Amino acid sequence: METGLVVLWGTLVGLDLVTGPQVMIARPLVAGTVAGAILGDPVAGVTVGMLLELFALEVVPVGGSRYADYGPAAVAAAWVAVDAPLGLALGPAALVGLVVARAGEESMQFIRRRNDSRVQANRSALDRGDAGTLVRLQLIGIGADAVRAAALTLLGLGLAALARDVIPWSARSAAVLGMLLVAIGAGTASAAALRVAGHGAAARWLIAGAALGFVVAGFV
Amino acid sequence: MRTWVSLFTIQGAWNHERMLGVGTGVASLPLLRGLKKHRGTEAHRAALARASSYFNAHPYLAGMAVAAEARAELDGRPAKQIERLRCALGSPLGSLGDRLVWAGWLPASVGMALITFGLTGHWLAAVVFLVVYNVVHLGLRAWAFRAGWVLGLQVGEALKGPRLRRAVQVAPAVAAVLLGIGLPLAAVRLGHRLVPAAAGDAVGPWAAMFVVAAVTLLVLRRLMPTIGGLRLALVVATLVVIGEAVWP
């Protein structure tokens, strides 16, 4: 039951990335939190989701650019982290998430190439304004993306099972992996924030905000 | 209403040849139904062919073009004018959406979630993000569709409003300050879940993490977008896994 719900959720968040409705349940923060809640541990879900969110900040989903799929990735990562000591599970969970996100990037390119082929094959019907062809292409495109998202989620859950039950992580390597990925994630998110801010007034706001953030973090 | 709902899957058949074209054609179907009744099947087919030709814009704002074109078709405007409108709207709607949403409201909403997570460590951060982001997202979609439907060929006027220009100017600064506050808070919260497992409350792991984050930032500033954080992290993680296998 739980596994079915997690696969369904992974499919929905995979669809949300591009096909729709783009309400941002595809963001790893949301995808991971809900997956964690389904599995009975929302705190583990939000923690791995937030770590992957640091990486997802570098994605700007403009036009035909390539980007990783962090939704099913966060679902798989949450599967690794639930009901485990977070300090030791966070690194392996994030690693699974990053691998799945990268696989999602390739799968998205595959779907786009398939859409290209179908549109080229139906070019004359589209140019004639054939409503049936339009609707068919749209439904096939959505269906294909749903299959992609479900397959990606299943792949992720397979990798999660490997990372959780098969690979014998030592406490040291799991903790070091986690710390490295948090640090690289923080660096990645900072680079993304600098890109958003540019060189003008927004950059000064970013620096002021970061100073305040460090001060508050010291108290928290 | 059916058009507005179908606009949520406008990228369902996204492809390099027509980009959003198939999606805009499908979304136009309910709006153009009246055309078939009043001006015949041929006029309807011609309008549908125009509505499904190449089009690229931000997905949240594409509804403005869909509605404006359908209005112009129903008003019996010449085909050339409608094609020019479609051609003229793509770039401004793409640029506006990219600056307002992808480089503005989305990172700002993530920033609020980072702050919430950093302060509380609670799953509420995800709820804050979803609600805050979608209030603006859904409002933007509704405004764009309505403006296109009401203004038709004059829809360009909607893009010249002072409030919209101000929002585009302010959005990156809002995103920057929220990300600036949220990033250290969230990173420290995540670190607190790891450092005790590694080495108690010692300063060393924190210093090491800070150095790795700073080096990552410097490397990515030089290499982005050729190499992003994802690839860098995968390389480093692979090295850790290999190191563990070689020196257990």
Side-chain angles (χ1 to χ4, degrees):
Chain A
M1 177 68 176
E2 268 182 359
T3 309
L5 279 176
V6 167
V7 173
L8 177 64
W9 175 242
T11 307
L12 290 175
V13 299
L15 273 170
D16 187 63
L17 178 66
V18 173
T19 292
Q22 291 200 305
V23 291
M24 295 298 144
I25 54 172
R27 297 302 293 193
L29 169 65
V30 180
T33 302
V34 174
I38 291 171
L39 297 167
D41 192 352
V43 173
V46 73
T47 306
V48 292
M50 187 51 84
L51 174 48
L52 292 174
E53 189 68 51
L54 298 179
F55 289 94
L57 265 172
E58 74 176 339
V59 173
V60 183
V62 181
S65 63
R66 294 172 65 107
Y67 38 88
D69 189 350
Y70 284 98
V75 171
W79 186 280
V80 179
V82 290
D83 298 331
L86 257 182
L88 301 178
L90 195 52
L95 175 57
V96 167
L98 293 172
V99 171
V100 176
R102 179 73 184 84
E105 182 178 334
E106 293 304 322
S107 68
M108 185 63 70
Q109 293 307 309
F110 175 76
I111 289 292
R112 286 177 169 179
R113 284 195 297 271
R114 298 294 300 157
N115 283 345
D116 289 348
S117 306
R118 276 192 289 271
V119 166
Q120 280 163 17
N122 289 281
R123 190 179 290 153
S124 58
L126 289 173
D127 290 342
R128 284 198 310 271
D130 187 287
T133 304
L134 261 180
V135 173
R136 187 168 51 82
L137 286 173
Q138 181 81 339
L139 290 178
I140 291 174
I142 294 171
D145 197 32
V147 171
R148 178 199 70 86
L152 189 63
T153 306
L154 287 170
L155 168 76
L157 295 186
L159 291 175
L162 266 180
R164 193 183 164 114
D165 303 325
V166 178
I167 299 176
W169 300 96
S170 70
R172 186 195 61 176
S173 65
V176 166
L177 182 64
M179 286 165 55
L180 277 171
L181 292 182
V182 166
I184 295 172
T188 304
S190 304
L194 280 169
R195 189 179 57 194
V196 165
H199 298 288
R204 290 192 289 277
W205 280 110
L206 176 65
I207 293 165
L212 179 61
F214 273 111
V215 170
V216 177
F219 286 108
V220 172
Chain B
M1 188 64 189
R2 281 184 61 190
T3 293
W4 196 69
V5 170
S6 65
L7 284 167
F8 280 85
T9 54
I10 198 166
Q11 297 191 118
W14 194 98
N15 61 88
H16 293 93
E17 185 174 303
R18 293 175 190 241
M19 299 216 164
L20 300 180
V22 174
T24 55
V26 171
S28 300
L29 278 170
L31 293 178
L32 295 176
R33 200 173 294 141
L35 206 62
K36 198 174 188 175
K37 195 173 165 188
H38 295 111
R39 290 179 46 212
T41 306
E42 278 312 305
H44 178 256
R45 278 181 167 255
L48 209 51
R50 280 190 287 277
S52 54
S53 60
Y54 170 87
F55 185 69
N56 194 27
H58 192 281
Y60 294 178
L61 296 172
M64 182 181 277
V66 169
E69 281 178 57
R71 173 98 262 170
E73 295 280 7
L74 293 172
D75 290 347
R77 300 293 183 144
K80 287 283 176 204
Q81 266 189 16
I82 297 169
E83 284 164 7
R84 274 204 300 273
L85 173 73
R86 186 175 180 85
C87 189
L89 280 177
S91 292
L93 291 180
S95 167
L96 176 65
D98 290 348
R99 286 184 292 160
L100 202 58
V101 181
W102 296 153
W105 193 241
L106 177 60
S109 305
V110 172
M112 286 185 219
L114 289 169
I115 294 169
T116 309
F117 177 78
L119 291 175
T120 66
H122 202 272
W123 52 262
L124 207 62
V127 178
V128 167
F129 167 78
L130 266 186
V131 172
V132 165
Y133 179 80
N134 281 305
V135 164
V136 170
H137 160 214
L138 297 177
L140 192 62
R141 278 190 190 264
W143 167 79
F145 185 75
R146 190 171 182 280
W149 186 246
V150 170
L151 295 172
L153 283 178
Q154 271 69 51
V155 72
E157 297 301 316
L159 299 175
K160 295 177 187 164
R163 280 200 298 184
L164 200 58
R165 283 210 302 269
R166 182 83 185 126
V168 168
Q169 285 170 350
V170 168
V174 173
V177 74
L178 290 171
L179 284 176
I181 298 169
L183 277 175
L185 281 170
V188 168
R189 172 72 63 179
L190 287 169
H192 270 299
R193 298 215 162 132
L194 286 161
V195 171
D201 285 330
V203 176
W206 286 104
M209 284 170 68
F210 187 81
V211 169
V212 173
V215 170
T216 302
L217 171 60
L218 292 174
V219 168
L220 292 183
R221 287 288 286 171
R222 288 187 71 85
L223 298 182
M224 249 180 182
T226 314
I227 292 181
L230 170 60
R231 282 168 175 75
L232 189 65
L234 283 174
V235 169
V236 171
T238 305
L239 293 175
V240 171
V241 172
I242 291 171
E244 169 73 3
V246 176
W247 299 288

